[in-house]
Amino acid sequence: MMEALEEHEGTISIGGRNITDFRFADDIDGLAGSEDELRELIDRINKASIKYGMEISTDKTKVMTNNPAGFTQEIYIQDKELKQVQQFKYLGAEINDGGSKSEICSRIAQASNAMGKLQYIWKSNSISLKIKIKLCKTLVTSIFLYGCESWTLNAKLEKRIKAFEMKCYRKILNISWREHITNQEVLNRINMAVDLLATDDLLTTVKQRKMRWYGHVTRSSGLSKTILQGTVPGGRKPGRQRIRWEDNIEEWTKLKFADSQVAARDRDTWRQITIRSTKDASTT
């Protein structure tokens, strides 16, 4: 990639830093400010790959734009047209221009699938309820929480997360929706096996992970900090402003973004703010 990008001047700038790509092993996400720039970037990477006996998979390679009009022309690699998509998966997470809804729904679907495959455990009478809950957190919840630090939450998504958690508890207890048992009764039965008050619910866990990651990035000096705190040239699209990632931090901590950056620089202070703000946010 260093040879492919030699003398390549990208036009995507965040915080005054030009960013042309993200890389993890052989998973490369190229960034460009125009179609011509994207074609040039793809051509550079393709030529460098061929030079060293490698080949770009056209089946796995996708192109996506945030331009409402879409691409004006097709983009090719060695006469093979690249598929244009509205979203794609990168490092296991759904990437799109429409927020975190599709990624959270995808995580819920994957975790629900894992929950269904363990049906024989939930129905077993020889396994205690306490062990079942631990297995759920280890084998199911961990799937759901993957990459949750990058999510942007709103009221509807928070309800989905709470509903998913209750669905898991009902499966563990083998409660059918036909029984019309309230969520509070479900929690009471779970509390008989394990003290939920001593642990965090799923939504609180998501919020705390996001807050801890924000603190970690703020105290660092890498690319993540540049992207998170840097500004992008130009104005925003007309219409109502979408909820941004940092809006969650402001809402939960009741601090302006600049003030939260100052607070996050002290690890102990930020830990206390994280615990207090996520607990308060989950009970409102």
Side-chain angles (χ1 to χ4, degrees):
M1 283 299 296
M2 292 181 64
E3 182 174 327
L5 296 176
E6 187 177 357
E7 297 182 359
H8 174 69
E9 294 293 336
T11 59
I12 300 296
S13 175
I14 301 178
R17 178 176 178 178
N18 282 1
I19 300 175
T20 58
D21 64 287
F22 299 117
R23 286 172 257 168
F24 184 84
D26 61 343
D27 289 317
I28 301 172
D29 183 4
L31 305 175
S34 66
E35 290 186 35
D36 291 337
E37 183 184 342
L38 181 60
R39 290 188 181 89
E40 180 190 354
L41 180 59
I42 292 174
D43 186 56
R44 282 174 171 269
I45 297 174
N46 184 49
K47 288 180 178 178
S49 301
I50 294 174
K51 180 178 178 180
Y52 292 96
M54 296 182 289
E55 182 180 351
I56 298 176
S57 172
T58 54
D59 292 332
K60 295 181 180 179
T61 304
K62 308 291 189 295
V63 291
M64 185 179 78
T65 179
N66 61 358
N67 186 346
F71 288 96
T72 59
Q73 296 179 1
E74 292 76 14
I75 297 179
Y76 296 85
I77 292 181
Q78 296 181 345
D79 299 327
K80 294 183 179 179
E81 182 181 347
L82 297 181
K83 184 178 180 181
Q84 300 178 16
V85 297
Q86 298 298 318
Q87 63 182 37
F88 66 96
K89 185 168 288 189
Y90 183 66
L91 300 181
E94 296 288 341
I95 307 297
N96 60 50
D97 190 38
S100 300
K101 180 179 178 180
S102 62
E103 168 62 6
I104 293 176
C105 291
S106 175
R107 284 284 131 199
I108 290 176
Q110 293 177 58
S112 298
N113 184 48
M115 195 78 183
K117 291 181 179 179
L118 299 172
Q119 194 67 27
Y120 65 96
I121 292 180
W122 316 136
K123 291 185 177 181
S124 173
N125 295 323
S126 60
I127 302 176
S128 68
L129 181 56
K130 186 174 183 179
I131 296 298
K132 289 180 180 180
I133 295 172
K134 287 185 176 181
L135 288 172
C136 180
K137 290 182 178 295
T138 302
L139 303 175
V140 178
T141 303
S142 59
I143 296 175
F144 172 77
L145 291 173
Y146 175 83
C148 65
E149 294 86 352
S150 65
W151 296 348
T152 300
L153 301 179
N154 56 33
K156 289 184 178 180
L157 294 177
E158 290 182 2
K159 288 182 179 180
R160 282 178 180 263
I161 293 173
K162 291 179 179 179
F164 168 70
E165 184 177 30
M166 293 308 304
K167 179 181 177 181
C168 290
Y169 287 153
R170 289 175 181 273
K171 276 190 173 292
I172 292 173
L173 295 170
N174 291 302
I175 296 176
S176 170
W177 61 272
R178 298 185 185 89
E179 297 181 49
H180 301 292
I181 294 177
T182 65
N183 288 342
Q184 187 58 52
E185 175 61 25
V186 171
L187 291 175
N188 291 340
R189 295 186 188 184
I190 293 292
N191 267 315
M192 294 177 63
V194 58
D195 184 9
L196 290 181
L197 298 178
T199 60
D200 295 320
D201 60 76
L202 192 55
L203 180 58
T204 299
T205 300
V206 171
K207 292 180 177 181
Q208 288 184 346
R209 287 195 177 194
K210 179 169 178 175
M211 292 275 289
R212 285 197 294 265
W213 187 80
Y214 173 71
H216 172 73
V217 169
T218 301
R219 293 187 293 271
S220 69
S221 58
L223 180 60
S224 298
K225 183 175 182 179
T226 300
I227 294 174
L228 180 62
Q229 300 182 3
T231 57
V232 180
R236 67 178 181 87
K237 298 177 181 178
R240 183 177 180 180
Q241 176 73 39
R242 290 180 180 175
I243 295 178
R244 301 168 299 175
W245 189 94
E246 60 266 29
D247 289 339
N248 288 155
I249 305 298
E250 292 185 3
E251 178 187 356
W252 301 337
T253 62
K254 310 303 180 186
L255 296 172
K256 294 295 184 181
F257 195 56
D259 295 331
S260 67
Q261 292 176 34
V262 175
R265 290 171 189 155
D266 184 271
R267 191 185 301 272
D268 293 332
T269 299
W270 189 247
R271 184 183 295 113
Q272 295 173 8
I273 292 175
T274 296
I275 295 173
R276 183 185 69 249
S277 60
T278 53
K279 291 289 186 182
D280 292 344
S282 295
T283 55
T284 56

